[in-house]
Amino acid sequence: MEEPAEKRQRTEEPEGETKEDAPEGEKTEQMEESKPTEEEAKAPEPAKELETDAPEDSRKKVKETIQFLPHDTTINVLPSTHSNLLISMKEGGIQHFHAGARANIGLTGGRYYFECKVIELTHSQEQSHATRRPRPEYFVKLGLATADSSLVLGGCPNSISIDTDGNIIHNRTRSQEAQKVYKDSVMGFLINLDPVSPNANTISQFKDGVRSSQPIKIPENMLGKPLYPSVSFKNATVQLNFGPTSMAPLPFKCPMVQEAAADDAKITPAPKAAKPELFVPVCLPDEGTFDWADVWLSKNPTVTELSDRMILEWAEKSGIWRPRHKSSNDKPEMQFQVPELDDYSMRRAIYSIAPLQNRSFLVMEVKSNLLADERQNLLAKFPSTFKKTALVVMGTPKADFKEHTKSLLLKQKQEALDKAHEAKKMELARKKLNEQRLKVQAAAAAAATNGDEPAKEGEDAKMESKEDEPKAEEKEAEAKEAEEEAPKAELTPEEEQVRFCSHEIKDLTGPMLTINFPKFSMPTKDEGFDDIKYEWDNAKKSEEYLNEYISDKKLHLRVDDLRPGLWFEKQSRDWYTTLHGWHHTLADYESKMAQKKAKAALKKQAELAAKRAAEEKQGEAQPMETDAEKEKKEGEEETKEPADEEKKAEEEATAEGDEEKKEEEKKEEEKKEEEEEEEDEEAMEAAFEALDVFGVENVSDIGKGVPLYKDFKFEDWILMNLRFELHTMVHAFKKDVEDKDREGIHVENLLFYYNRYFKKVLSFKEYGVETAEELFDLISDAVYLTPKSVITSRLSDEMEAPLVFVKITEEARRFRTLKVDLGEEAQFGVKLNVAALTAISKNALPRRLGGGGGGHFHKGYHQKGGQPYHQSYKGGPQGYQKGGYGYKGGYGKDQGKDHGKDHGKDFGKDFGKDHGKDSWGKGGHKVGAAPGKGNVVPPPPGPPPAAGHAAAGGPLVPPPPPSSRPAPEAAVGGYGKASYGSKGKPAVGYQPYGGGKGFKGGSHNDYGKGGYQGKWGKGGKY
């Protein structure tokens, strides 16, 4: 007998339709398709329906109405008051996100059924220039989820769903096993948790009451937990029906979810609060902020988080692609390349919807919640129907949070160990493959050498096994090592005491924290809060903790927008003006001393020449007289009167005596003067060594024109300038930052502020040290580090003159010299990078130690008569600039230029050419003979170039001593082209004094632009 039609199985095979592309992150399973035979195609046999009519159940039914509670829906879901009608928002960028809702009933057993009808589908074309963008689609997913699952179905292991395209989706994996469901169709969802049913622990889809999929197993990890009916949708309006009446009856009797037995269900209670609450946590950045939020939200599942972090997580679950990078946790960049999302329209839409919903919120904004004005703006957006509560999370964490921190640290450590273990396994595999490849190559090379045919694979394997027999134990050890699991992570005692877990991405960016932390404050009821709760420490301790935090940040965080003020600019300008004056005074003093030495050397040389001439005169041989001449002379003498002879003898004796007496008196006077000068110099040097440095009133003249800094070397000028720079920077910072609570500059920010104030880089290695602490040891007499590593000056900012820096530097020089003389050079010696420091600190150095172009003196040495210009400089109105010291114009620009270029050029070229060729020539001259070829030449007229008369940045050093010049008989050639004139090789022992464009060189005695060695500038000068 044929069964009634209503009892027949009513199933439909899925239609063969093309799958759409999977959303981002989902994998598509490839379904194996077997080609049906002709008989099967002609007469398919429908599968037997195993579901039967449900028996009568007398157990107690659930009393609560099955519905969607606000906290169990995404924020873009607008539920209706009746009929469980759900609408998703479609503007403000929120239309790109998936909407989700979870019913308030969780099923633990039995077989039940619920329905969903697609009321409306909206096409929303998205504009984006991204290569990967949200698809312009609409869909509905119907399924089951656990209580801890995401509201967006299919994106985690704790949910399973079937969408309107017939795809089964679980844990980002999909496979098409059901028919498509269209608008106005009823999509039925059967849940079978009856252990005695043949389809136990399965779900099935029905379309308008007809089976559209075969039973699908529920994942094992979801079994044993309450399973909640859920729906996810996008750009759609859906109606959920939980019963008791079905919109599309099944071919078998099955109770709907509303008729579920109380024993088979777990009901989620509605919030007990009389009105929704707004929670505003006040947490310090990177001190467990979002970790605390995770713990708190797990204890308060009815509260919805509002934050940019929540938006990013929601976007990822909705399949919206974005780069993984983010600069901070509090305000990450959106970068979805979708206009409505990237311009924060989505965020504004969420904050406009939230106050209209009957649910509680946790506003997790780190920076905004710490600022009073932004807290007030937030509270003003929510009506009085919300209870507004501030949660202060500062101080010492509670025990539950400490345990959570330990679990996070252990997880991070385990992940690092797992990563290292995997890398080790990959390295072992790579090494093994490389060894095998080398063996094969060696075998092939050996076969080619012996002329044998390449061995076959089997033979290779046999040979390889024989060769590897001795290494079997080694291979076994490697295999065992590769199969070993990663070591289990354990926390050290120090790690167990860590209060907050450190994360790679900080809560706030550096600039954001620097700008806002001084304004951090505690919440008050005056801002609009109904209640203030302290999660960790009490109100007093929390206030103290915040103040300590701000003080610490003021010490360590730099002020990125700091600009040097007028005080600093004036101090720097005055310093370099004074410093250059000292350079000028030193140059004059050294020039004076060099001229004095040169004069003494010339005098000594003249004495030696006179003595040599006298000896030569006395040693001249007298000519021999003939006998006749001798007799004639004797006869003439006999005829002279005796009186004349006596008179002549007396006159000659008197003249000789007077001359000898005068000569002796002159020598005695000169000797006495020399002795007095030597005694004065020795006395002055002794007085200088015994001088009280800090009692000096005028550092440029401590007596007889001697400057206190006369013995300063390169390192003394450099360190004195560094003392001033750091001293000035410390005081200028306090004036420019305008914050009395800032203690000063922390040493970790030294390089930043030094560059900001002086527009140059401070390198420790250029000062011969490795760390900032070692640098401050060099100048601790002026600037030092406090126990908190704050840079502090020992000098007041109200000093009238910078003379004290000369005194401090001189005292340090004396101490260092003493220690070095005692053999402690390794500890007290200074090793500076001369080249690098000269380049960056040329204004701090005298010109004899290098520096900028132009030199200390003018271009062009001689004026008429061969005398040097001592005060002709080319430069700006103050200080050493490109041309030197003094004034632009006058002797510096005009006379110096004209005489340097023209007179020096003519004098060097013409005088050297004419006099070298015509007067002195290639030879020299003897005493008493005219200059000419073959004659020996004395030094040129006038004194040699004195110290300080260098050109174009050349050094100021004394000329070579006279002893370095050869004796006349040793000279080869004279001053012509060889020395004094145009370019040429100088005579042996003589210094080439220029001519034409000046000479070039790199030896010790060749002075030039920028330091001790180099080349002379243009213009015919010494």
Side-chain angles (χ1 to χ4, degrees), residues 531-548:
D531 190 13
I532 299 176
K533 296 181 180 180
Y534 295 88
E535 292 290 301
W536 291 347
D537 285 344
N538 57 34
K540 182 179 179 181
K541 289 185 177 180
S542 297
E543 182 78 26
E544 293 174 353
Y545 191 86
L546 176 61
N547 293 334
E548 291 177 1

Side-chain angles (χ1 to χ4, degrees), residues 221-334:
N221 64 296
M222 296 177 62
L223 297 177
K225 303 176 183 179
L227 301 179
Y228 294 83
S230 305
V231 61
S232 290
F233 53 99
K234 178 181 178 182
N235 295 327
T237 301
V238 296
Q239 180 185 7
L240 274 296
N241 178 30
F242 295 105
T245 304
S246 172
M247 292 185 293
L250 298 176
F252 50 85
K253 290 183 179 180
C254 179
M256 300 196 73
V257 173
Q258 186 63 64
E259 299 175 302
D263 296 339
D264 294 339
K266 180 180 179 180
I267 301 297
T268 301
K272 297 180 180 180
K275 57 181 181 178
E277 292 188 73
L278 178 69
F279 298 98
V280 181
V282 181
C283 316
L284 292 175
D286 301 314
E287 294 198 359
T289 49
F290 289 96
D291 295 335
W292 170 86
D294 293 336
V295 175
W296 192 87
L297 288 170
S298 65
K299 296 178 181 179
N300 300 271
T302 61
V303 179
T304 301
E305 178 184 354
L306 288 180
S307 67
D308 287 358
R309 178 183 76 155
M310 178 271 293
I311 294 176
L312 290 184
E313 292 177 354
W314 190 4
E316 183 179 358
K317 294 173 182 177
S318 300
I320 303 177
W321 179 87
R322 69 177 291 275
R324 291 285 180 179
H325 171 74
K326 59 180 180 179
S327 58
S328 68
N329 294 318
D330 187 47
K331 293 296 179 185
E333 298 89 347
M334 294 304 173

Side-chain angles (χ1 to χ4, degrees), residues 488-529:
K488 296 297 181 182
E490 295 182 359
L491 297 180
T492 63
E494 293 78 11
E495 291 172 336
E496 290 183 351
Q497 299 301 319
V498 175
R499 296 194 302 173
F500 308 115
C501 183
S502 177
H503 297 281
E504 181 180 359
I505 300 174
K506 302 302 181 183
D507 290 343
L508 299 180
T509 61
M512 184 66 69
L513 179 61
T514 301
I515 294 172
N516 292 284
F517 82 86
K519 299 180 288 185
F520 288 173
S521 63
M522 300 291 288
T524 62
K525 289 189 176 181
D526 294 338
E527 298 171 0
F529 287 105

